[in-house]
Amino acid sequence: MKHNFVHVEYPLTHPGVDRAERAVANIKRMSDSFSPTRTLAAMLLAAIVVAFVVVADQMMATWADGHLLAAWVTLWAVAFAAVGLFAGVSKSLAIQAKQALNAWSASMARRRSDERLWAIAQTDARLMSELQSALSRSDKDLPSLQSSTQRRVERMLENRQYYI
């Protein structure tokens, strides 16, 4: 009795799909290491260096052509010195700018949310009663912790002014 078995091994996945999956994984890995703060710091540093290079170039433009090599050496010395001196400053400026923009964005989002809630509450009696009961339950001992929107809503509800 003869048994003829054919053992052909086929790949379980397509090679093109494997390459595409590796490419997507590489792009994801690169995006995970991306830091907006570091990018902003690098851009600020580049702007400072460019400003110093332009000033150095303007100062050396008056030199004669015989001093061209000295002018280029001086120009690059100023450029590298500026990179070394302002690297930390530009990174801290970038971090402060990012934090300030995040805080501003969060406050704008809270304000828009409060405005939307108040607009909905003006048309919905159930929500208005919920707001009134929530404000009546609020602590009267800590008025300094209330936001200006909460104080405004409380004033409007006490005066029965349901308009903005």
Side-chain angles (χ1 to χ4, degrees):
M1 186 170 205
K2 255 184 176 176
H3 294 286
N4 292 331
F5 291 102
V6 178
H7 295 283
V8 180
E9 298 198 15
Y10 292 104
L12 298 176
T13 59
H14 191 274
V17 173
D18 289 337
R19 282 193 303 271
E21 287 175 350
R22 283 195 307 267
V24 168
N26 285 339
I27 290 171
K28 178 150 178 48
R29 184 179 41 82
M30 287 186 333
S31 68
D32 290 342
S33 66
F34 176 73
S35 170
T37 305
R38 194 171 54 221
T39 304
L40 184 59
M43 290 176 68
L44 285 172
L45 179 62
I48 292 169
V49 169
V50 165
F52 272 106
V53 168
V54 167
V55 169
D57 185 50
Q58 291 295 324
M59 290 174 55
M60 289 181 284
T62 60
W63 287 9
D65 288 333
H67 300 297
L68 191 59
L69 179 63
W72 274 104
V73 168
T74 306
L75 181 70
W76 283 107
V78 166
F80 287 122
V83 167
L85 288 174
F86 294 109
V89 174
S90 64
K91 185 169 183 174
S92 65
L93 283 174
I95 289 171
Q96 289 174 356
K98 182 183 170 207
Q99 289 172 345
L101 287 173
N102 283 343
W104 175 77
S105 173
S107 69
M108 292 296 290
R110 279 193 301 275
R111 185 183 59 80
R112 283 193 308 264
S113 173
D114 289 344
E115 288 173 357
R116 280 193 303 264
L117 179 66
W118 185 248
I120 293 170
Q122 288 178 335
T123 60
D124 189 0
R126 293 175 298 171
L127 184 58
M128 186 61 77
S129 66
E130 286 288 328
L131 283 175
Q132 287 174 338
S133 65
L135 287 173
S136 67
R137 286 190 306 256
S138 68
D139 292 332
K140 299 293 181 180
D141 300 334
L142 302 172
S144 63
L145 296 179
Q146 290 181 337
S147 71
S148 62
T149 306
Q150 289 173 330
R151 288 191 301 267
R152 181 175 170 217
V153 169
E154 189 174 71
R155 226 179 15 256
M156 287 177 158
L157 290 175
E158 287 172 358
N159 298 334
R160 303 277 188 225
Q161 297 174 339
Y162 300 132
Y163 58 87
I164 295 179

